[in-house]
């Protein structure tokens, strides 16, 4: 009986426990719903707050031996606490469990000089990242305080290191090109970096290579730019950059945050920017994101040198055209530096009296004459940069440039004489101030204020004279009486003031966003007098505010997405403009990736072409008035393919740009008319860059088709634009032999249609060569060389730089010739 009673009690115990087995089977269900089901099914008393628990989603498929065990499991790793008072289960909120985040914040600098390196390319824990324009970056991690960091920057050795989570790291990179007793170039160093950061249509250029390319006498930045695919070299538009079929004024040139409005720059001999002051060159041909606005073409963003914070140094460059130099002084116990650079022509580049004018008769019975200008140029750059503590840096920049042109020609005819003089003066001034700060939570911010102004003054003077007064013994008049036919004066001014606030924050290990807010004012002024009579007088202001947002998300290790939106409001016209932009980057293979981009772009200031009775073209800046001078709108579509393996880089870009709101100003028979039009440019460009032992070379090819339609055309058919060139092939080669460097570059262009007869095409060819040698002497570094531009003296002309007039023999066409055979001897000294 006793044993039977124990058996019954044991059976009841087992049965009771079996009956209390808790089975939970839920998929992505809220915690409060699960607890209510447990309460109802198992008849327990529960006390909890629905609002607190509804935010937790649970997926569970599991059995538990009792209610308490099930409830404890459901509350694991949550800021919730389980208590039991009598028969009541109480769930209450506890202090939130802090999830530890590790933050790495750092700046990339030059080891030798302490200069910051903008837009450095990084790989942090195998996630790609680009430093900002100040060389700063920050990342977060929830799993480990140790970060694997790999940094690459053109002209510097790759840095591969491990860093412990901290703020304000300084990552110093060692230059590949450095100066000891001689100039040394590592043949493994690439000249190009394409598709940087998954950005299609982009090229980062190693500006050190300009030391060895032809034209080094002034180390012209444009000598390097013109050799890149998609940037027009034929026609030598040295006053502008025509990128992927863009028109004059549609591409933006920026130097340290200052917009440059295309100074004249004679035939690539003297660049608009002093190359001695250049550190980084970033080219965005199309499809770029919200960092840049107010242009429908491309962007060339140039970052200037900051100077050496460790010691005083200077560079002097002398050639048979210009004298230039740059000096850097460390300040405030090596916490800052002051850099100053200057250039000056010390005589006219070309003396017309010493050069025979080329004269010929073409098929249309016009006389072609080539003019060589008197030209004077000077510019000045200064930059103060430094750090305020460990988290804040600053920059102050100022530039001034001025050039003067004078073209003149005298035609002596049988019955009459003709005098022609054309002069132009350009003055470019600008300044910018920038403050950068890195917060301890990984947020980086920047405030930048900038101002820029270009003033252009043009005079065109034409006189015709005949013989009169007393006669000589042969009966011919000895006095020439001149009558003024044309005396035109044009003054064009454009000003721009900007203030910009930028913040970038990390939302996750592979996710960050950027906010930009900007205020802008643009002023244009145009005055034209003819024979001292005011013909035209225009002035216009545009005040605008812009808000920009960019979301960068590495969805997987192979797929990266950049989504951007730019909103602009023109305050004084009450107009709104939305400009969405998106790009995708997918890594197909370790060495191969594809990038796709789409973007909408608006431009409110335009460089209007003015066409007169003789089809002469001049350009001047004007703001849109939202009526006759319409707002330009561009739509970019870009597909980019990048392959890189060891020393070989191959880049292919397919592009299409549709542009509306084009404006053309025709002035025929003293009647001025403004015409509107639209254009389309599409094509493909190719770049192959490699190094082989002591050789560094690249080849570039562009196929482009640019068509346009304006109101004055008699049909709906699109015609070829003036700058429509179908084929352009370029190549460059640098060979190092100990202390000697030999270089050559070649450009071939298939030609442009003429304004009067579009069927006429004049091809373009230019071969340049150079040789230089380093000459070490104690602590000085000397380099001397000899450069020849247009070795074959091919008779190239600029596609829209000419002037037509009438004399007694018919129509005369005056050409400002593209660069002729030009030898240059130069000498560089640095210490």
């Amino acid at each position: 009986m006793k044993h039977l009673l124990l058996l019954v009690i044991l059976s009841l115990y087992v049965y009771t426990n079996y009956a209390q087995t808790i089975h939970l089977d839920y998929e992505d269900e809220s915690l409060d719903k699960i607890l209510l089901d447990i309460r109802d099914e198992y008849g327990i008393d529960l006390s909890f707050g629905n609002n607190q628990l509804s935010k937790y989603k649970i997926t569970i498929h599991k059995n538990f031996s009792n209610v308490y065990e099930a409830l404890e499991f459901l509350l694991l790793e949550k800021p919730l606490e389980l208590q039991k008072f009598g028969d009541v289960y109480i769930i209450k909120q506890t202090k939130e469990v802090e999830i530890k985040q590790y933050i790495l914040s750092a700046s990339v600098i030059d080891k030798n000089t302490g200069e910051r390196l903008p837009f450095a390319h990084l790989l942090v824990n195998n996630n790609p990242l680009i430093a900002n324009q100040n060389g700063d970056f920050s990342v977060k991690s929830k799993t480990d305080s140790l970060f694997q960091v790999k940094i690459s920057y053109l002209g510097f050795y790759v840095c591969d290191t491990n860093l412990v989570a901290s703020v304000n790291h300084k990552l110093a990179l060692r230059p590949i090109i450095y100066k000891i007793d001689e100039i040394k170039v590592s043949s493994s160093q690439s000249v190009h970096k394409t598709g940087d950061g998954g950005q299609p249509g982009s090229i980062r250029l190693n500006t050190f290579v300009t030391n060895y390319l032809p034209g080094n006498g002034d180390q012209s930045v444009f000598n390097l730019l013109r050799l890149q695919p998609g940037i027009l070299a034929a026609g030598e538009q040295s006053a502008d950059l025509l990128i992927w079929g863009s028109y004059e004024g549609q591409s933006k040139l920026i130097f340290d945050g200052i917009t440059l409005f295309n100074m004249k720059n004679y035939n690539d001999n003297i660049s608009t920017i002093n190359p001695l002051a250049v550190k980084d060159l970033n080219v965005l041909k199309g499809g770029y994101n919200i960092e840049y606005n107010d242009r429908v073409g491309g962007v060339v963003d140039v970052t200037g040198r900051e100077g050496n914070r460790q010691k005083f140094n200077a560079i002097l460059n002398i050639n048979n055209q210009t004298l230039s130099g740059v000096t850097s002084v460390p300040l405030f116990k090596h916490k800052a530096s002051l850099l100053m650079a200057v250039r000056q022509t010390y005589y006219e580049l070309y003396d017309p009296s010493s050069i025979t004018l080329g004269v010929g008769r073409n098929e249309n019975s016009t006389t072609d004459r080539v003019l060589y200008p008197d030209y004077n140029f000077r510019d000045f750059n200064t930059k103060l940069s430094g750090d305020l503590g460990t988290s804040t840096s600053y920059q102050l920049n100022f530039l001034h440039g001025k050039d003067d042109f004078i073209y003149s020609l005298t035609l002596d005819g049988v019955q009459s004489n003709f005098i022609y003089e054309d002069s132009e003066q350009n003055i470019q001034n600008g300044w910018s101030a920038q403050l950068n700060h890195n917060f301890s939570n990984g947020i980086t911010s920047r405030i930048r204020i900038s101002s820029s102004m270009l003033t252009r003054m043009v005079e065109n003077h034409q006189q015709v004279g005949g013989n009169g007064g007393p006669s000589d013994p042969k009966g011919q008049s000895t006095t020439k009486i001149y009558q003024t036919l044309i005396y035109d004066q044009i003054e064009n001014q454009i000003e721009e003031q900007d203030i910009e606030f930028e913040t970038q924050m990390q939302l996750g290990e592979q996710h960050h966003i950027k906010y930009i807010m900007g205020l802008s004012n643009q002023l244009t002024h145009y005055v034209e007098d003819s024979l001292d009579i005011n013909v035209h007088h225009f002035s216009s202001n545009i005040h605008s505010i812009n808000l920009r947002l960019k979301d960068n998300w590495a969805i997987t290790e192979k797929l990266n997405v950049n989504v951007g939106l730019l909103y602009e409001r023109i305050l004084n016209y009450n107009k709104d403009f939305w400009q969405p932009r998106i790009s995708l980057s997918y890594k197909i293979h370790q060495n191969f990736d594809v990038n796709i981009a789409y973007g909408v772009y608006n431009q409110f200031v335009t460089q209007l072409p003015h066409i007169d009775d003789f089809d002469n073209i001049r350009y001047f800046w004007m703001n849109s008035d939202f009526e006759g001078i319409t707002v330009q709108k561009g739509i970019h579509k870009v597909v980019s393919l990048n392959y890189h393996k060891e020393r070989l880089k191959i880049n292919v870009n397919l592009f299409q740009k549709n542009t509306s709101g084009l404006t053309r100003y025709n002035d025929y028979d003293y009647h001025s008319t403004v015409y509107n039009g639209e254009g389309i440019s599409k094509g493909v460009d190719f770049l192959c860059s490699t190094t082989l032992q002591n050789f560094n070379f690249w080849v570039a090819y562009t196929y482009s088709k640019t068509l346009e339609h304006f109101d004055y055309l008699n049909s709906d058919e699109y015609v070829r634009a003036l700058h429509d060139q179908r084929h352009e092939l370029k190549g460059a080669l640098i060979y190092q032999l100990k202390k000697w460097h030999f270089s050559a570059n070649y450009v071939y262009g298939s030609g442009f249609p003429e304004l009067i007869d579009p069927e006429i095409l004049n091809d373009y060819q230019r071969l340049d060569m150079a040789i230089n040698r380093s000459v070490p002497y104690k602590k000085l570094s000397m380099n001397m060389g000899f450069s020849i531009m247009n070795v074959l003296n091919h008779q190239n002309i600029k596609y829209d730089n000419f002037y037509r007039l009438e004399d007694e023999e018919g129509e005369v066409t005056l050409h400002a010739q593209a660069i002729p055979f030009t030898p240059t001897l130069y000498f560089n000294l640095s210490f």
Side-chain angles (χ1 to χ4, degrees):
M1 188 67 181
K2 181 179 180 181
H3 293 288
L4 180 59
L5 182 59
L6 288 174
L7 183 60
V8 171
I9 293 173
L10 181 60
S11 299
L12 289 173
Y13 179 79
V14 172
Y15 174 80
T16 301
N17 279 275
Y18 177 79
Q20 288 296 318
T21 298
I22 307 299
H23 178 67
L24 301 181
D25 190 5
Y26 293 93
E27 188 74 29
D28 198 29
E29 186 61 77
S30 63
L31 179 56
D32 63 324
K33 177 64 168 59
I34 297 175
L35 293 176
L36 291 174
D37 288 347
I38 294 176
R39 181 198 65 182
D40 296 338
E41 184 172 349
Y42 299 101
I44 64 174
D45 293 326
L46 271 174
S47 175
F48 61 88
N50 292 61
N51 293 334
Q52 295 176 345
L53 275 61
S54 60
K55 63 182 179 180
Y56 301 108
K57 300 295 182 180
I58 305 293
T59 296
I60 187 171
H61 308 282
K62 190 176 179 64
N63 295 323
F64 300 92
S65 58
N66 55 63
V67 171
Y68 196 94
E69 181 179 327
L71 294 177
E72 275 194 321
F73 186 88
L74 289 172
L75 304 184
L76 285 176
E77 298 183 357
K78 297 178 182 62
L80 300 169
E81 181 182 359
L82 176 64
Q83 295 180 353
K84 186 178 181 182
F85 291 92
D87 295 328
V88 180
Y89 295 90
I90 299 174
I91 299 175
K92 62 180 181 179
Q93 191 85 20
T94 62
K95 185 178 179 180
E96 286 279 354
V97 177
E98 182 180 355
I99 300 175
K100 184 67 175 178
Q101 277 194 333
Y102 303 99
I103 298 176
L104 172 68
S105 177
S107 301
V108 185
I109 64 172
D110 184 325
K111 183 177 182 179
N112 291 349
T113 66
E115 286 197 52
R116 292 172 177 265
L117 301 178
F119 308 113
H121 188 68
L122 302 110
L123 202 63
V124 182
N125 293 339
N126 292 320
N127 297 319
L129 186 67
I130 300 294
N132 65 16
Q133 65 282 341
N134 200 46
D136 299 325
F137 71 93
S138 63
V139 291
K140 294 181 179 180
S141 174
K142 296 179 181 179
T143 58
D144 197 346
S145 62
L146 187 65
F147 294 82
Q148 296 179 338
V149 181
K150 189 174 183 179
I151 312 168
S152 64
Y153 194 88
L154 279 172
F156 292 78
Y157 285 105
V158 173
C159 175
D160 195 346
T161 186
N162 293 323
L163 296 174
V164 177
S166 180
V167 295
N168 303 319
H169 278 289
K170 299 291 185 183
L171 302 178
L173 303 188
R174 186 161 58 95
I176 288 178
I177 299 178
Y178 58 96
K179 297 175 181 177
I180 44 178
D181 59 340
E182 64 180 75
I183 296 179
K184 181 178 180 180
V185 178
S186 171
S187 61
S188 64
Q189 173 59 22
S190 174
V191 178
H192 306 87
K193 181 183 283 291
T194 56
D196 204 5
Q199 175 64 58
S202 69
I203 304 177
R204 294 281 301 285
L205 295 173
N206 183 353
T207 56
F208 289 116
V209 78
T210 59
N211 295 319
Y212 312 106
L213 287 174
N216 176 38
D218 192 38
Q219 296 179 317
S220 175
V221 172
F222 286 88
N223 280 346
L224 179 59
L225 279 173
R226 68 189 296 274
L227 295 175
Q228 308 312 314
I231 301 177
L232 186 65
E236 295 184 15
Q237 272 299 95
S238 55
D240 207 342
L241 289 169
L242 305 187
I243 302 175
W244 277 355
S246 60
Y247 289 72
E248 286 81 0
Q250 290 185 344
S251 294
K252 195 167 192 176
L253 177 61
I254 307 168
F255 181 69
D256 276 337
I258 305 169
T259 301
L260 301 182
F261 295 106
N262 309 329
M263 290 181 62
K264 195 70 174 181
N265 171 26
Y266 184 65
N267 291 324
D268 298 314
N269 276 340
I270 299 178
S271 65
T272 306
I273 300 171
N274 188 342
L276 296 178
V278 171
K279 175 169 59 177
D280 183 82
L281 200 59
N282 190 19
V283 181
L284 301 164
K285 295 183 283 185
Y288 45 89
N289 218 290
I290 53 93
E291 285 83 359
Y292 304 96
N293 66 326
D294 199 32
R295 288 297 185 273
V296 296
V299 176
V300 177
D301 192 353
V302 182
T303 304
R305 289 178 53 197
E306 295 181 0
N308 195 323
R309 300 187 185 185
Q310 307 303 319
K311 60 181 180 179
F312 170 85
N313 64 17
I315 300 174
L316 179 67
N317 183 291
I318 304 174
N319 60 66
N320 56 321
Q321 297 171 352
T322 60
L323 173 66
S324 59
V326 61
T327 182
S328 173
V329 182
L331 300 173
F332 313 132
K333 298 181 179 180
H334 307 293
K335 292 183 179 181
S337 64
L338 176 65
L339 181 137
M340 294 176 288
V342 64
R343 290 182 297 174
Q344 171 70 58
T345 54
Y346 47 84
Y347 72 97
E348 278 83 3
L349 284 178
Y350 296 101
D351 181 4
S353 64
S354 64
I355 299 178
T356 302
L357 298 177
V359 181
R361 179 72 60 179
N362 64 24
E363 296 178 357
N364 296 322
S365 297
T366 63
T367 302
D368 288 349
R369 296 177 183 265
V370 177
L371 300 183
Y372 301 88
D374 293 341
Y375 178 64
N376 282 294
F377 174 91
R378 73 177 65 92
D379 72 349
F380 175 74
N381 296 77
T382 183
K383 183 173 187 175
L384 174 66
S385 57
D387 293 331
L388 299 173
T390 58
S391 303
T392 305
S393 62
Y394 62 90
Q395 291 182 7
L396 299 173
N397 306 281
F398 172 78
L399 64 84
H400 166 79
K402 179 181 179 182
D403 58 15
D404 293 280
F405 285 81
I406 298 178
Y407 298 98
S408 60
L409 176 67
T410 300
L411 300 176
D412 295 322
V414 177
Q415 300 295 328
S416 64
N417 303 281
F418 188 87
I419 295 177
Y420 166 83
E421 184 174 280
D422 194 29
S423 64
E424 180 173 335
Q425 182 184 84
N426 299 275
I427 302 175
Q428 169 77 64
N429 291 311
W431 63 268
S432 68
Q434 180 173 300
L435 187 68
N436 309 278
H437 185 75
N438 299 328
F439 294 91
S440 59
N441 57 3
I443 295 177
T444 62
S445 64
R446 173 175 64 91
I447 301 175
R448 183 170 65 194
I449 305 173
S450 64
S451 177
S452 179
M453 180 178 70
L454 173 70
T455 301
R456 174 171 293 169
M457 289 168 285
V458 178
E459 290 189 5
N460 180 246
H461 193 190
Q462 299 180 29
Q463 291 180 302
V464 63
N467 296 327
S471 301
D472 62 14
K474 296 182 179 180
Q476 295 181 346
S477 174
T478 58
T479 304
K480 295 178 181 179
I481 302 175
Y482 285 95
Q483 177 187 2
T484 299
L485 297 178
I486 296 176
Y487 184 47
D488 291 338
Q489 295 174 295
I490 298 175
E491 180 179 346
N492 183 213
Q493 182 174 310
I494 178 170
E495 295 184 38
E496 180 181 274
Q497 293 86 33
D498 287 292
I499 180 169
E500 192 173 273
F501 304 88
E502 177 184 306
T503 300
Q504 182 169 307
M505 62 180 64
Q506 200 82 13
L507 299 183
E509 295 184 30
Q510 304 180 48
H511 189 192
H512 68 268
I513 59 175
K514 179 184 292 186
Y515 302 95
I516 301 176
M517 184 182 76
L519 299 169
S520 178
N521 174 64
Q522 289 177 321
L523 166 68
T524 58
H525 178 72
Y526 178 83
V527 177
E528 180 180 352
D529 294 337
S530 180
L531 297 173
D532 295 325
I533 298 175
N534 184 254
V535 180
H536 299 293
H537 190 166
F538 306 106
S539 291
S540 174
N541 266 89
I542 287 183
H543 311 294
S544 64
I545 183 172
N546 66 79
L547 302 173
R548 293 175 258 177
L549 172 64
K550 177 183 175 182
D551 190 340
N552 178 268
W553 188 16
I555 297 177
T556 67
E557 290 185 0
K558 295 185 176 182
L559 179 62
N560 187 280
V561 179
N562 278 283
V563 180
L565 179 63
L566 191 158
Y567 164 74
E568 286 188 276
R569 179 169 179 81
I570 310 303
L571 300 175
N572 52 327
Y573 284 91
N574 295 321
K575 301 286 186 179
D576 298 307
F577 297 87
W578 298 87
Q579 302 166 56
R581 302 172 188 181
I582 184 172
S583 63
L584 307 174
S585 175
Y586 186 76
K587 187 174 287 295
I588 299 176
H589 183 267
Q590 180 180 359
N591 302 320
F592 182 64
D593 61 82
V594 58
N595 305 310
I596 303 173
Y598 171 89
V600 178
Y601 307 83
N602 286 116
Q603 182 170 333
F604 307 103
V605 63
T606 183
Q607 198 168 11
L608 285 181
H610 176 277
I611 306 176
D612 66 13
D613 298 88
F614 295 102
D615 291 315
N616 303 309
I617 303 176
R618 291 190 187 274
Y619 294 92
F620 58 91
W621 290 97
M622 281 296 294
N623 278 330
S624 170
D625 60 8
F626 301 88
E627 293 179 1
I629 305 175
T630 57
V631 175
Q632 296 185 50
K633 180 180 179 180
I635 298 178
H636 296 188
K637 302 172 185 176
V638 184
V639 177
S640 177
L641 306 174
N642 298 287
Y643 175 81
H644 58 89
K645 185 176 183 181
E646 296 177 351
R647 301 177 179 180
L648 176 65
K649 294 180 181 293
I650 297 176
N651 172 249
V652 180
N653 291 293
L654 292 86
F655 62 89
Q656 178 173 320
K657 291 183 178 180
N658 295 70
T659 307
S660 59
L662 301 177
T663 306
R664 188 162 288 171
Y665 183 68
N666 290 356
D667 195 359
Y668 292 145
D669 298 325
Y670 301 101
H671 179 69
S672 302
T673 308
V674 175
Y675 295 97
N676 297 118
E678 55 188 26
I680 180 172
S681 177
K682 55 185 176 182
V684 59
D685 67 25
F686 168 85
L687 172 69
C688 179
S689 174
T690 189
T691 57
L692 182 63
Q693 294 181 350
N694 293 332
F695 288 92
N696 194 325
F697 63 93
W698 71 88
V699 61
Y701 169 75
T702 303
Y703 171 80
S704 178
K705 185 176 183 180
T706 304
L707 304 177
E708 65 183 20
H709 181 273
F710 278 86
D711 299 342
Y712 56 77
L713 296 176
N714 296 324
S715 68
D716 295 333
E717 184 179 354
Y718 280 65
V719 299
R720 295 186 65 178
L722 283 181
H723 60 288
D724 176 36
Q725 179 177 244
R726 299 299 164 86
H727 305 277
E728 188 168 87
L729 179 66
K730 316 172 188 183
L733 171 67
I734 302 173
Y735 174 68
Q736 177 193 0
L737 180 62
K738 295 182 179 179
K739 298 179 181 180
W740 292 88
H741 288 85
F742 304 88
S743 63
N745 53 250
Y746 176 76
V747 176
Y748 169 80
S750 58
F752 308 97
E754 286 198 359
L755 185 63
I756 297 178
D757 188 354
E759 299 301 322
I760 298 178
L761 298 177
N762 297 309
D763 68 347
Y764 175 98
Q765 297 183 52
R766 196 176 110 186
L767 173 67
D768 305 331
M769 302 183 71
I771 179 173
N772 67 62
R773 186 182 190 277
S774 58
V775 183
Y777 179 74
K778 296 183 179 179
K779 294 184 178 181
L780 299 178
S781 178
M782 296 181 288
N783 184 266
M784 60 181 61
F786 180 68
S787 174
I788 301 178
M789 315 296 280
N790 199 358
V791 174
L792 304 179
N793 201 25
H794 195 273
Q795 296 300 307
N796 300 311
I797 61 173
K798 296 187 176 183
Y799 83 91
D800 67 348
N801 197 328
F802 51 79
Y803 202 87
R804 293 187 177 93
L805 45 90
E806 297 282 348
D807 75 346
E808 64 182 27
E809 298 178 1
E811 185 179 288
V812 178
T813 301
L814 308 178
H815 291 289
Q817 184 187 20
I819 191 167
F821 177 88
T822 306
T824 304
L825 182 67
Y826 58 87
F827 174 78
N828 294 322
L829 176 65
S830 60
F831 54 91

